[in-house]
Amino acid sequence: MKEINFCQGWKFKKQGAETARLVDLPHDAMIHESRAPQAASGSAEAFFPGGVYEYEKSFFVSDDWAEKSVVFKFEGVYKNSTVYLNGEEAGGCAYGYSQFYIHADKLLRYGEENRICVIASNDDQPNSRWYTGSGIYRPVWFLLSEKSHIDSDGIKISTLSYNLARVRVDTSYIGGDTVTIEVLDNGQIVTVGRGKSVELEIPNAKLWSDTTPNLYQCRVTLLENGVAVDEVTETFGIRLVEWSAKGLFINGENTLLRGGCIHHDNGILGACCYAKSEERRVRLMKAAGFNAIRSAHNPASTALLDACDRLGMYMIDETWDMWYNHKSKNDYAKDFTANYQFDVKSIVDRDFNHPSVIMYSIGNEVSEPATEKGIKLTKELVDLFHSLDGNRAVTGGFNLMIIDSSARGKGIYKEGGGLNQDKTPDMSGMSSTMFNMITAMVGTRQNKAGNSKRADAVTSPSLDALDIAGYNYGSGRYPLEGRAHPDRVIFGAETFPQDIVKNWKMVKKYPFLIGDFMWTAWDYLGENGLGAWAYTPDGKGFDKPYPWLLADAGALDILGNPTGEIFLAQASWGLLKNPAIAVQPVNHPGVKPAKMVWRGTNAIPGWSWKNCEGNRAVVEVYTDAYIVELRLNGECGSIRIGRKRVKNCVAVFKTKYAPGKLAAVGYDINGNETGRGELEPAAGKISICVKPEEDVIRVEDIIYVNIELVGENGVVECNADTKITVSVEGGKLLAFGSANPRTPESYTSGNFTTYYGRAQAVVRADTAGTMRITASGDRLEPASAEITVVE
C-alpha cells in the first residue's frame, strides 16, 4: 500500500465568497477570520466567527488504477464534513476530531482528471467551550493498493508478555491467501511468522516506556498465489499495561503519572496540525518533567501520538467533552447518539499500535451518569472499548460535583447548552479582593464537593464501571477511597496547578492513586481568561469579553515558555536541581490583579523591568530545599533580601525592584548549600534578537523562530514591549504572535506586539537554499537570521 501525502494545492473559499485561493493542508480557516465582539462563538471560542468552508482539488487518475483500490484518509475535519467525488457524495464525518476514510473506487473516472470537494460546516455557533478551528486542519492521505490488500488500520499488534517478550499480530485483509510477518529492529529482522493471527517471541527485547521509548517495526506482506500484492509496515513498542489497587504497572514497573492536560490547538498556528509542532510540544513538556498527557477533550492527532511514541510520553486519549446533553447550544450532543459507536471504533483503530496510549477516556465532566440512562451508557462505552481493544484501561474525566449536582436537579449547564446564570453571577463590579476570594472558594468547593456519602452513592455506579477512575477536581476524595472503595484505582484527571504539592504527596502515599494531571500544561486559544491574573477592569468574570484571546492558564505559555507553575511542579516531583526564580510582573504598580483559580501564580523567570525601579516586586523561589536565601547583587553591592523556610516547595519574598543579579541559594536542614539559581537584568542597548530553533530544515518543513527584545548580554527585557514586523525570504510566514492573552492583534498579519519581551514566528520552507527571517520594530534596528534548507 502506498500512502501518498495529499495536502498540497487545494482551492479554498468560505461559502459565499466569489473567488477561491490556493492553500496547503493542514489549514485552519478560522484563524484567518477577523474576530469581533459580537461573534456568536463568544468568549469560549475567542470571538472568532464560524462559517461553511469549501475545499477542492483536482487530480489525475490513470487507466491502470481501475484494477487498484483508492482510499482517501482524513485525519480530522472540523466539522460536519461532507466529501464529494466528481460531484457525487462519497461520505463525511460529523465529529470534527474523528479520523475517517473515503473509499473512492466506484466514483473515480479513469484516464482523466478527477475532482474532490470537501465541505466543512462550522456555522452553527457556539458549538464548543474552547477554540476549535475550522476546515481541514489535519493532514489528508491518498492510499493506493491492489484490489487484494491489507485493510486500512488492518494490522493490530498486542503485547502478550514482557519478561519473555511475546506479541500477537492480527491482520485483516481483502483477497490474498497468505500473510507473512517480519519484526525489525533498526532495519534488522529479529523474528518472522506466517498467518492471519500469529504469536511471535522477540529475542533480547527492548521494552517501551517513558524512560526507554524503544520502537520496533512490523512488516506485513500479503501474498496471492505466492506473489506479494501488498505490504504495510507498522511501528510498535513492547509495552504491557496492568493496574490494580496496588498501582499502575508498565511492563511490571510501578509508574506514577506526572500529567498535564492539553487542548488540540497549536497556539499561534490555530488548530493546524503539523508534525513538527506536535513533536515540539511533547519535547518541551518532557523536558519540563511531564511523562503523561491527557488529550482534552477529544482524540489527539496522529502526529501527537507518533511524537509520544518516539519521545516516551504516556497518553490518555479522550473521546468527547459531551454526550447527549448539551454544554454549548450547538455542540456535538446533537450528533452524539448517531455517531458515538463510529467515533469509538475510529479512535481504537488508529491508536491500537501506539505504545504511548495507555488509556482511553470516554468523556470529560459529563453529567449523564447522574441518571440510570447515563450509567447504562457508561457501561456500554466501557464494554465497547473492551471489545475492540483489550490491551488498555478505560477511564473518564468525571467531575464528582457536576454529577452530584445534576442528580439533585441543580446541573451547572442549561438543558439547551450554556452555563446556568445563577451559577455564574456577575462579578464585574466587585473589588479585586472580593473577586479573588470567590474564585478561590470555587476551587476549594470543587475539591471537597464529592466527599459526602450522598455524592459517593451517586457517582459510584459510573466510577466503578471504569477500569481506572479519573477525578476532575476531586482531591478531597483521595484519602477516603482506600477504605471506601478498596479495589478502585483512581487518578487526578484534572486538577488545579497550585495544588500539585499536596496532590503529589498523596500520589506517593496512596498506591491506588496513580497520578495527577494539571489544568493545564500548555496555554490555549479560547475559554478566554480562564486562568488569567488580570490587571484590566474587564478581567473579573469567567467569560471575559473581547479582546481576550487566550485562556492564560498554562504551566507553559502558548509559545512554550515556562512560568512559575511549572517550577512548582518540578519541585514537587523532585526534578529541580537548583532553585528556580520567578517574578510576578513588576510593571503594574498599585494594581491588584483579579485572579482566576486555574492559575496559582503569574510569575515568570525574568528580573529585567526597565523603568520599574522602586516598584513592588514579588519574587517566588521554587525548590525542595529546607531554607532559601535571596540576595541582590547590584550597584550597592550584595544585599540580602531575606532568608525563609521553604513551605510547599516555594518561598515568597516581597521587595522593591532594582537592577542587579538576583540569586537564590538553597540549604538543607544542616545548613549545607544544596544549589543556587540566578536571574539578571538586560544590560546596555535593547535590540531585536531572531533565534531559530534549528539551523537546517528540509523543503516544506516548518521551523519555530523565537523573536526577543534583549540587552547586549542576551537577557530578555520584560518591560520594553513593542510591535514587531516579520518578513521572510525563501519561505512563507505561517504565523507570528506573542503570549499576550488579551489583544485584538492577528497571528496571520505579520505584525504583533511582544509580550514581556517575547514573540514567536512559524515559517515554512519553500525551496532549497537559504531562508532569511527578518524582524523590525519602531526605533529598533532590524535583525535577521538565516536557515539552511535542504531537499
Side-chain angles (χ1 to χ4, degrees), residues 282-305:
V282 175
R283 174 168 43 82
L284 291 180
M285 287 182 64
K286 180 147 190 177
F290 293 100
N291 72 348
I293 289 173
R294 175 180 173 226
S295 174
H297 304 292
N298 47 260
S301 70
T302 301
L304 185 66
L305 301 185

PDB file of all heavy atoms in Angstrom, residues 282-305:
ATOM      1  N   VAL A 282       5.536  17.952  22.688  1.00  0.00           N
ATOM      2  CA  VAL A 282       5.881  16.795  23.514  1.00  0.00           C
ATOM      3  C   VAL A 282       7.303  16.930  24.054  1.00  0.00           C
ATOM      4  O   VAL A 282       7.575  16.653  25.233  1.00  0.00           O
ATOM      5  CB  VAL A 282       5.709  15.491  22.721  1.00  0.00           C
ATOM      6  CG1 VAL A 282       6.188  14.292  23.537  1.00  0.00           C
ATOM      7  CG2 VAL A 282       4.255  15.291  22.313  1.00  0.00           C
ATOM      8  N   ARG A 283       8.221  17.370  23.194  1.00  0.00           N
ATOM      9  CA  ARG A 283       9.623  17.516  23.618  1.00  0.00           C
ATOM     10  C   ARG A 283       9.765  18.522  24.756  1.00  0.00           C
ATOM     11  O   ARG A 283      10.468  18.267  25.745  1.00  0.00           O
ATOM     12  CB  ARG A 283      10.471  17.932  22.414  1.00  0.00           C
ATOM     13  CG  ARG A 283      11.915  18.251  22.742  1.00  0.00           C
ATOM     14  CD  ARG A 283      12.765  18.371  21.493  1.00  0.00           C
ATOM     15  NE  ARG A 283      12.124  19.114  20.430  1.00  0.00           N
ATOM     16  CZ  ARG A 283      12.108  20.448  20.350  1.00  0.00           C
ATOM     17  NH1 ARG A 283      12.675  21.179  21.296  1.00  0.00           N
ATOM     18  NH2 ARG A 283      11.532  21.054  19.328  1.00  0.00           N
ATOM     19  N   LEU A 284       9.090  19.670  24.638  1.00  0.00           N
ATOM     20  CA  LEU A 284       9.196  20.687  25.684  1.00  0.00           C
ATOM     21  C   LEU A 284       8.495  20.238  26.965  1.00  0.00           C
ATOM     22  O   LEU A 284       8.972  20.525  28.079  1.00  0.00           O
ATOM     23  CB  LEU A 284       8.607  22.005  25.186  1.00  0.00           C
ATOM     24  CG  LEU A 284       9.398  22.719  24.086  1.00  0.00           C
ATOM     25  CD1 LEU A 284       8.705  24.016  23.675  1.00  0.00           C
ATOM     26  CD2 LEU A 284      10.828  23.010  24.525  1.00  0.00           C
ATOM     27  N   MET A 285       7.382  19.543  26.825  1.00  0.00           N
ATOM     28  CA  MET A 285       6.709  19.043  28.022  1.00  0.00           C
ATOM     29  C   MET A 285       7.553  17.996  28.736  1.00  0.00           C
ATOM     30  O   MET A 285       7.645  17.984  29.967  1.00  0.00           O
ATOM     31  CB  MET A 285       5.336  18.462  27.655  1.00  0.00           C
ATOM     32  CG  MET A 285       4.289  19.511  27.314  1.00  0.00           C
ATOM     33  SD  MET A 285       2.658  18.798  26.947  1.00  0.00           S
ATOM     34  CE  MET A 285       2.239  18.048  28.524  1.00  0.00           C
ATOM     35  N   LYS A 286       8.201  17.131  27.961  1.00  0.00           N
ATOM     36  CA  LYS A 286       9.040  16.117  28.592  1.00  0.00           C
ATOM     37  C   LYS A 286      10.237  16.762  29.272  1.00  0.00           C
ATOM     38  O   LYS A 286      10.609  16.380  30.395  1.00  0.00           O
ATOM     39  CB  LYS A 286       9.489  15.088  27.558  1.00  0.00           C
ATOM     40  CG  LYS A 286      10.367  14.001  28.163  1.00  0.00           C
ATOM     41  CD  LYS A 286      10.195  12.663  27.506  1.00  0.00           C
ATOM     42  CE  LYS A 286      10.906  11.591  28.316  1.00  0.00           C
ATOM     43  NZ  LYS A 286      10.725  10.253  27.763  1.00  0.00           N
ATOM     44  N   ALA A 287      10.828  17.752  28.622  1.00  0.00           N
ATOM     45  CA  ALA A 287      11.947  18.456  29.237  1.00  0.00           C
ATOM     46  C   ALA A 287      11.524  19.162  30.523  1.00  0.00           C
ATOM     47  O   ALA A 287      12.328  19.341  31.441  1.00  0.00           O
ATOM     48  CB  ALA A 287      12.534  19.467  28.253  1.00  0.00           C
ATOM     49  N   ALA A 288      10.245  19.563  30.580  1.00  0.00           N
ATOM     50  CA  ALA A 288       9.725  20.242  31.768  1.00  0.00           C
ATOM     51  C   ALA A 288       9.400  19.268  32.897  1.00  0.00           C
ATOM     52  O   ALA A 288       9.126  19.704  34.016  1.00  0.00           O
ATOM     53  CB  ALA A 288       8.479  21.046  31.408  1.00  0.00           C
ATOM     54  N   GLY A 289       9.395  17.967  32.621  1.00  0.00           N
ATOM     55  CA  GLY A 289       9.173  16.975  33.667  1.00  0.00           C
ATOM     56  C   GLY A 289       7.919  16.146  33.535  1.00  0.00           C
ATOM     57  O   GLY A 289       7.715  15.182  34.282  1.00  0.00           O
ATOM     58  N   PHE A 290       7.042  16.486  32.592  1.00  0.00           N
ATOM     59  CA  PHE A 290       5.846  15.677  32.390  1.00  0.00           C
ATOM     60  C   PHE A 290       6.221  14.321  31.795  1.00  0.00           C
ATOM     61  O   PHE A 290       7.153  14.218  30.983  1.00  0.00           O
ATOM     62  CB  PHE A 290       4.877  16.378  31.432  1.00  0.00           C
ATOM     63  CG  PHE A 290       4.278  17.647  31.966  1.00  0.00           C
ATOM     64  CD1 PHE A 290       4.780  18.881  31.586  1.00  0.00           C
ATOM     65  CD2 PHE A 290       3.201  17.610  32.838  1.00  0.00           C
ATOM     66  CE1 PHE A 290       4.228  20.059  32.060  1.00  0.00           C
ATOM     67  CE2 PHE A 290       2.639  18.774  33.323  1.00  0.00           C
ATOM     68  CZ  PHE A 290       3.154  20.014  32.943  1.00  0.00           C
ATOM     69  N   ASN A 291       5.476  13.287  32.162  1.00  0.00           N
ATOM     70  CA  ASN A 291       5.632  11.999  31.480  1.00  0.00           C
ATOM     71  C   ASN A 291       4.308  11.478  30.939  1.00  0.00           C
ATOM     72  O   ASN A 291       4.230  10.353  30.447  1.00  0.00           O
ATOM     73  CB  ASN A 291       6.286  10.963  32.384  1.00  0.00           C
ATOM     74  CG  ASN A 291       5.371  10.458  33.498  1.00  0.00           C
ATOM     75  OD1 ASN A 291       4.302  11.022  33.752  1.00  0.00           O
ATOM     76  ND2 ASN A 291       5.786   9.402  34.180  1.00  0.00           N
ATOM     77  N   ALA A 292       3.252  12.317  31.031  1.00  0.00           N
ATOM     78  CA  ALA A 292       1.934  11.871  30.555  1.00  0.00           C
ATOM     79  C   ALA A 292       1.102  13.067  30.118  1.00  0.00           C
ATOM     80  O   ALA A 292       1.202  14.160  30.686  1.00  0.00           O
ATOM     81  CB  ALA A 292       1.203  11.094  31.651  1.00  0.00           C
ATOM     82  N   ILE A 293       0.283  12.829  29.098  1.00  0.00           N
ATOM     83  CA  ILE A 293      -0.621  13.842  28.550  1.00  0.00           C
ATOM     84  C   ILE A 293      -2.033  13.287  28.557  1.00  0.00           C
ATOM     85  O   ILE A 293      -2.261  12.113  28.242  1.00  0.00           O
ATOM     86  CB  ILE A 293      -0.219  14.203  27.100  1.00  0.00           C
ATOM     87  CG1 ILE A 293       1.096  15.000  27.074  1.00  0.00           C
ATOM     88  CG2 ILE A 293      -1.317  14.987  26.390  1.00  0.00           C
ATOM     89  CD1 ILE A 293       1.632  15.230  25.673  1.00  0.00           C
ATOM     90  N   ARG A 294      -2.970  14.142  28.918  1.00  0.00           N
ATOM     91  CA  ARG A 294      -4.384  13.834  28.696  1.00  0.00           C
ATOM     92  C   ARG A 294      -4.865  14.712  27.556  1.00  0.00           C
ATOM     93  O   ARG A 294      -4.770  15.933  27.614  1.00  0.00           O
ATOM     94  CB  ARG A 294      -5.199  14.112  29.952  1.00  0.00           C
ATOM     95  CG  ARG A 294      -6.705  13.932  29.770  1.00  0.00           C
ATOM     96  CD  ARG A 294      -7.453  14.214  31.057  1.00  0.00           C
ATOM     97  NE  ARG A 294      -8.901  14.218  30.864  1.00  0.00           N
ATOM     98  CZ  ARG A 294      -9.720  15.149  31.351  1.00  0.00           C
ATOM     99  NH1 ARG A 294      -9.238  16.156  32.069  1.00  0.00           N
ATOM    100  NH2 ARG A 294     -11.023  15.075  31.137  1.00  0.00           N
ATOM    101  N   SER A 295      -5.358  14.094  26.495  1.00  0.00           N
ATOM    102  CA  SER A 295      -5.803  14.824  25.311  1.00  0.00           C
ATOM    103  C   SER A 295      -7.200  15.361  25.569  1.00  0.00           C
ATOM    104  O   SER A 295      -8.199  14.672  25.387  1.00  0.00           O
ATOM    105  CB  SER A 295      -5.811  13.900  24.089  1.00  0.00           C
ATOM    106  OG  SER A 295      -6.355  14.551  22.972  1.00  0.00           O
ATOM    107  N   ALA A 296      -7.262  16.616  25.985  1.00  0.00           N
ATOM    108  CA  ALA A 296      -8.523  17.198  26.436  1.00  0.00           C
ATOM    109  C   ALA A 296      -9.136  18.072  25.337  1.00  0.00           C
ATOM    110  O   ALA A 296      -8.481  18.977  24.857  1.00  0.00           O
ATOM    111  CB  ALA A 296      -8.281  18.045  27.694  1.00  0.00           C
ATOM    112  N   HIS A 297     -10.371  17.847  24.985  1.00  0.00           N
ATOM    113  CA  HIS A 297     -11.259  16.762  25.387  1.00  0.00           C
ATOM    114  C   HIS A 297     -11.740  16.096  24.116  1.00  0.00           C
ATOM    115  O   HIS A 297     -12.927  16.089  23.808  1.00  0.00           O
ATOM    116  CB  HIS A 297     -12.430  17.286  26.209  1.00  0.00           C
ATOM    117  CG  HIS A 297     -12.028  18.067  27.413  1.00  0.00           C
ATOM    118  ND1 HIS A 297     -11.413  17.482  28.494  1.00  0.00           N
ATOM    119  CD2 HIS A 297     -12.117  19.381  27.710  1.00  0.00           C
ATOM    120  CE1 HIS A 297     -11.160  18.392  29.415  1.00  0.00           C
ATOM    121  NE2 HIS A 297     -11.570  19.559  28.973  1.00  0.00           N
ATOM    122  N   ASN A 298     -10.791  15.580  23.357  1.00  0.00           N
ATOM    123  CA  ASN A 298     -11.081  14.972  22.052  1.00  0.00           C
ATOM    124  C   ASN A 298      -9.877  14.135  21.636  1.00  0.00           C
ATOM    125  O   ASN A 298      -8.785  14.279  22.202  1.00  0.00           O
ATOM    126  CB  ASN A 298     -11.345  16.058  20.998  1.00  0.00           C
ATOM    127  CG  ASN A 298     -10.324  17.168  21.027  1.00  0.00           C
ATOM    128  OD1 ASN A 298     -10.574  18.243  21.581  1.00  0.00           O
ATOM    129  ND2 ASN A 298      -9.143  16.930  20.469  1.00  0.00           N
ATOM    130  N   PRO A 299     -10.040  13.254  20.656  1.00  0.00           N
ATOM    131  CA  PRO A 299      -8.909  12.439  20.225  1.00  0.00           C
ATOM    132  C   PRO A 299      -7.730  13.285  19.758  1.00  0.00           C
ATOM    133  O   PRO A 299      -7.891  14.271  19.039  1.00  0.00           O
ATOM    134  CB  PRO A 299      -9.495  11.612  19.069  1.00  0.00           C
ATOM    135  CG  PRO A 299     -10.954  11.546  19.366  1.00  0.00           C
ATOM    136  CD  PRO A 299     -11.298  12.876  19.976  1.00  0.00           C
ATOM    137  N   ALA A 300      -6.549  12.895  20.192  1.00  0.00           N
ATOM    138  CA  ALA A 300      -5.319  13.578  19.790  1.00  0.00           C
ATOM    139  C   ALA A 300      -5.042  13.335  18.314  1.00  0.00           C
ATOM    140  O   ALA A 300      -5.592  12.422  17.695  1.00  0.00           O
ATOM    141  CB  ALA A 300      -4.144  13.069  20.627  1.00  0.00           C
ATOM    142  N   SER A 301      -4.167  14.143  17.750  1.00  0.00           N
ATOM    143  CA  SER A 301      -3.754  13.933  16.359  1.00  0.00           C
ATOM    144  C   SER A 301      -2.816  12.732  16.271  1.00  0.00           C
ATOM    145  O   SER A 301      -2.142  12.363  17.242  1.00  0.00           O
ATOM    146  CB  SER A 301      -3.040  15.178  15.823  1.00  0.00           C
ATOM    147  OG  SER A 301      -1.777  15.326  16.447  1.00  0.00           O
ATOM    148  N   THR A 302      -2.741  12.133  15.085  1.00  0.00           N
ATOM    149  CA  THR A 302      -1.798  11.039  14.856  1.00  0.00           C
ATOM    150  C   THR A 302      -0.374  11.515  15.072  1.00  0.00           C
ATOM    151  O   THR A 302       0.455  10.790  15.643  1.00  0.00           O
ATOM    152  CB  THR A 302      -1.963  10.482  13.432  1.00  0.00           C
ATOM    153  OG1 THR A 302      -3.297  10.012  13.261  1.00  0.00           O
ATOM    154  CG2 THR A 302      -0.986   9.352  13.162  1.00  0.00           C
ATOM    155  N   ALA A 303      -0.067  12.727  14.638  1.00  0.00           N
ATOM    156  CA  ALA A 303       1.287  13.252  14.800  1.00  0.00           C
ATOM    157  C   ALA A 303       1.663  13.377  16.268  1.00  0.00           C
ATOM    158  O   ALA A 303       2.815  13.151  16.650  1.00  0.00           O
ATOM    159  CB  ALA A 303       1.411  14.609  14.110  1.00  0.00           C
ATOM    160  N   LEU A 304       0.708  13.742  17.112  1.00  0.00           N
ATOM    161  CA  LEU A 304       0.994  13.836  18.549  1.00  0.00           C
ATOM    162  C   LEU A 304       1.275  12.453  19.115  1.00  0.00           C
ATOM    163  O   LEU A 304       2.211  12.276  19.916  1.00  0.00           O
ATOM    164  CB  LEU A 304      -0.179  14.487  19.276  1.00  0.00           C
ATOM    165  CG  LEU A 304       0.044  14.759  20.769  1.00  0.00           C
ATOM    166  CD1 LEU A 304       1.134  15.795  20.977  1.00  0.00           C
ATOM    167  CD2 LEU A 304      -1.242  15.221  21.434  1.00  0.00           C
ATOM    168  N   LEU A 305       0.511  11.452  18.708  1.00  0.00           N
ATOM    169  CA  LEU A 305       0.758  10.092  19.175  1.00  0.00           C
ATOM    170  C   LEU A 305       2.115   9.592  18.702  1.00  0.00           C
ATOM    171  O   LEU A 305       2.847   8.940  19.460  1.00  0.00           O
ATOM    172  CB  LEU A 305      -0.346   9.153  18.694  1.00  0.00           C
ATOM    173  CG  LEU A 305      -1.781   9.467  19.123  1.00  0.00           C
ATOM    174  CD1 LEU A 305      -2.717   8.357  18.657  1.00  0.00           C
ATOM    175  CD2 LEU A 305      -1.885   9.661  20.622  1.00  0.00           C
TER     176      LEU A 305
END
